[in-house]
Amino acid sequence: MTQQNGQNGRLAGRVAIISGGARGQGAAEAALFVAQGASVVLGDVLDDVGAATAASLGDAAIYQHLDVTSEASWAELVTMTNDRFGQIDVLVNNAGIFRVASLADTTPELWHQVMEVNATGVYLGLRAVTPTMIEQRRGSIINISSIAGLRGAGMAFAYGASKWAVRGMTKSAAQTLAPYGVRCNSVHPGIIDTAMLQEFDNAGVRESVRERIPMAREASADEVATLVLYLASDESSYSTGSEFIVDGGMTM
């Protein structure tokens, strides 16, 4: 992977917010964005981990506590970002939770927990940043969905429903924001080697899931981050309302 810093980077002069930025895909995206010249605000509820991740990336990254299910928390983060940088060019709605539970095993409590983080969190993020982006008449929003948002997810019923919601919100937001020069796309990862896969380990299905990947391996978080970088940059300037898949062939 070719990385460059400073004024020649693919995101030089841009300001990005990444939810769920403390670890995993969010941390990989933050590191790549900084390497490509962006200033990055990492939001998460894992305060110690998030602060350490931001510190490891140098002065171009800052951390702020973000509960994606809270409208007030989003408003505080956006206000801070605007006050500090005067712009918001990119939002990556990356925060999410994964639970292995079939329809019969999905309690109302579990349903609401997954939907609040994965769907309501994306909705609130969209609402929080769009006034700034509309005023700027530019911006790129990348919503992290899943291959579970492209097909059925019988073993993860609530998760699948939430990721279909993300896919639908992406298209609706793209229609609304396109006249203002603001783009909105969704990314649909397959099986990515992050802490989220602990759910597969707990359920004893990780090996059987891996066997269904045509490329016969899990992806790294960096492999998702490179796609997100493309969507954040001007290289994807004519792409909006679309799904971008990184799944090793699982949905083909």
Side-chain angles (χ1 to χ4, degrees), residues 22-150:
R23 63 182 183 179
Q25 287 179 195
E29 292 152 8
L32 187 54
F33 280 21
V34 168
Q36 292 294 330
S39 298
V40 180
V41 178
L42 289 74
D44 211 306
V45 293
L46 302 174
D47 293 331
D48 291 343
V49 178
T53 298
S56 73
L57 298 177
D59 293 340
I62 58 175
Y63 173 79
Q64 178 160 316
H65 181 87
L66 173 65
D67 174 0
V68 296
T69 70
S70 165
E71 184 177 9
S73 188
W74 271 110
E76 184 178 354
L77 183 141
V78 166
T79 296
M80 182 278 293
T81 305
N82 274 322
D83 288 347
R84 179 154 181 171
F85 298 106
Q87 64 193 70
I88 300 173
D89 303 294
V90 179
L91 168 65
V92 184
N93 269 316
N94 174 79
I97 59 175
F98 175 62
R99 299 290 183 265
V100 174
S102 67
L103 170 59
D105 293 330
T106 299
T107 63
E109 292 77 15
L110 177 59
W111 169 268
H112 288 300
Q113 179 192 40
V114 172
M115 294 299 290
E116 276 293 291
V117 175
N118 293 2
T120 302
V122 169
Y123 151 70
L124 291 175
L126 287 166
R127 274 182 55 88
V129 303
T130 50
T132 297
M133 291 185 175
I134 287 172
E135 183 177 356
Q136 295 172 169
R137 302 192 72 84
R138 71 177 187 277
S140 177
I141 299 169
I142 303 106
N143 295 326
I144 306 300
S145 180
S146 166
I147 57 171
L150 298 171

